[in-house]
Amino acid sequence: DNLNKALSPINKAALPLSILRVLAVVTLQNHADENIAFNFDKATQDEWEAYCNTLESKESPYFNAFGLDTLGLLSQYSVQAIRNTVGELHGMENSGLLGESQTKYFINAVLEHSKLDINTDNPFVDIGLYELSNELLAKFGVAETYISWDVSNQATALLNAESKFVESPTPNSYLALISVILGKIDYRFTDSVFKPTYMENLKLQKFQGGFSIVPFGYRSKFSAEDDVFNRFDFYTNYYHPMLIQHLLQQVTNVVMVIVPESVLFSQVSSEVTLKEWLIKNRYLRNIVSLPGRTFSNTAIATSLLILDPRAQNSFVHMCKLENSTFIEMDKRSVRLINTVELAELLFQQQENAFSKNVSYEDIHQNAYTLSVNRYINDGVYGKYQNKLTNTITKKFNAIFEIQRPI
């Protein structure tokens, strides 16, 4: 009777969180050196078993979070951030404040704790970028989104979709927690390039939308023998060209990928091949040059690529957000604003002072350089570019004699 009374106020949103809390507390009790921040330590063994059995019987709607949790992500990993989050949820439940309306709060709490985890080195992005992505997903008619390589968990938590399918290469307690809170998330711990798991009739399962923040600078040896689905037209030890090729094989409507901006002007053979391949196959639809500090933990300049798996493009719509009306900046951070209007501009491929349609032929003439600064002159860059254009120049060797030691 006491058990039923304890469970009666737990609503649809609270129940899976309570399951998580119980599993986390059981884990903490198994670690003698841990300080338990809950009042369950006085419960008898029989009370524990009854409480856990009752709650665990409610796990069936979250089969991917529990039934397929062969690595024990929710019950075996007891990092401080998870304990903090569970403690917050427990306090909310005791106060009678735990409900569906608090879902957004819980998700933000999980992401904040994930950020503070000293063992986490993840690319945390301005939330405005996900607001923009959600607007674009809606415009492209995406109801189900495939997310590859989401080590920060932001995409899984913040992208709107009726269903989300996630392949992540690293065991991740936070992703498990987000799945429990939100539901309708099918996540699998695998490397999607080497071992894709979403299949139908021995072929890759198709999804309407795709999203990824490619791992910066990551390399991994890959060969034709590893490709059992014939996804790749070329092979390279750089990971991001392989990931982009994979996404375009698994998605039907639109793929959004965030890459280091250096990829756009790099002359590294594999990256030139990637750019040439995107243009010749008519996949590249938009390039959005993101402002500095879009990522909270790196100063690396980045760009958003919008790819069309249907290959219906003859030009690239390029947009430079720096100094535009779509960003808000202070000394420490930058935020995307007016994302509804920005999504419309990108979807309609409209031109203005900071956006331009560049033909594939022009890109070919520029040796497949995709740097937005090459085609859009504005702000400080445009001022100096114009000065150079109107200045008489000479080649270096026309002025100096180049001598080499014997």
Side-chain angles (χ1 to χ4, degrees), residues 126-281:
D126 164 43
I127 194 173
L129 184 61
Y130 291 103
E131 294 171 354
L132 172 63
S133 299
N134 285 328
E135 294 291 339
L136 288 168
L137 289 173
K139 288 183 178 297
F140 282 98
V142 173
E144 53 184 25
T145 302
Y146 169 62
I147 302 167
S148 181
W149 198 285
D150 184 25
V151 293
S152 75
N153 313 310
Q154 278 189 303
T156 302
L158 301 176
L159 287 179
N160 294 336
E162 293 179 13
S163 300
K164 285 179 271 193
F165 301 83
V166 186
E167 287 180 325
S168 182
T170 307
N172 191 316
S173 303
Y174 304 106
L175 188 55
L177 177 54
I178 290 167
S179 177
V180 171
I181 296 173
L182 293 179
K184 295 185 178 180
I185 297 174
D186 185 331
Y187 72 87
R188 302 178 183 183
F189 293 101
T190 186
D191 186 320
S192 58
V193 170
F194 282 90
K195 294 181 179 179
T197 60
Y198 290 110
M199 293 174 285
E200 288 181 339
N201 300 322
L202 300 179
K203 296 182 179 180
L204 288 177
Q205 182 178 349
K206 298 292 185 178
F207 303 103
Q208 294 171 329
F211 183 92
S212 182
I213 299 176
V214 304
F216 296 179
Y218 185 70
R219 297 190 185 196
S220 187
K221 190 174 182 179
F222 194 92
S223 64
E225 289 75 20
D226 298 312
D227 183 19
V228 294
F229 295 104
N230 298 316
R231 293 167 290 167
F232 306 111
D233 289 334
F234 64 94
Y235 302 93
T236 170
N237 289 340
Y238 281 93
Y239 191 86
H240 58 274
M242 309 306 295
L243 180 59
I244 289 172
Q245 289 184 84
H246 165 71
L247 284 163
L248 285 165
Q249 291 297 314
Q250 190 132 32
V251 175
T252 59
N253 291 21
V254 64
V255 172
M256 291 181 285
V257 183
I258 299 175
V259 300
E261 194 161 300
S262 59
V263 171
L264 303 182
F265 56 80
S266 170
Q267 292 302 305
V268 173
S269 176
S270 61
E271 293 181 340
V272 172
T273 300
L274 171 65
K275 291 179 285 188
E276 185 175 350
W277 181 81
L278 289 172
I279 296 299
K280 288 187 174 180
N281 287 284

Side-chain angles (χ1 to χ4, degrees), residues 9-20 93 98-100 106:
I10 301 179
N11 59 27
K12 182 179 178 181
L15 186 57
L17 297 171
S18 186
I19 295 170
L20 173 71
E93 184 183 59
L98 193 59
E100 291 186 37
F106 297 145

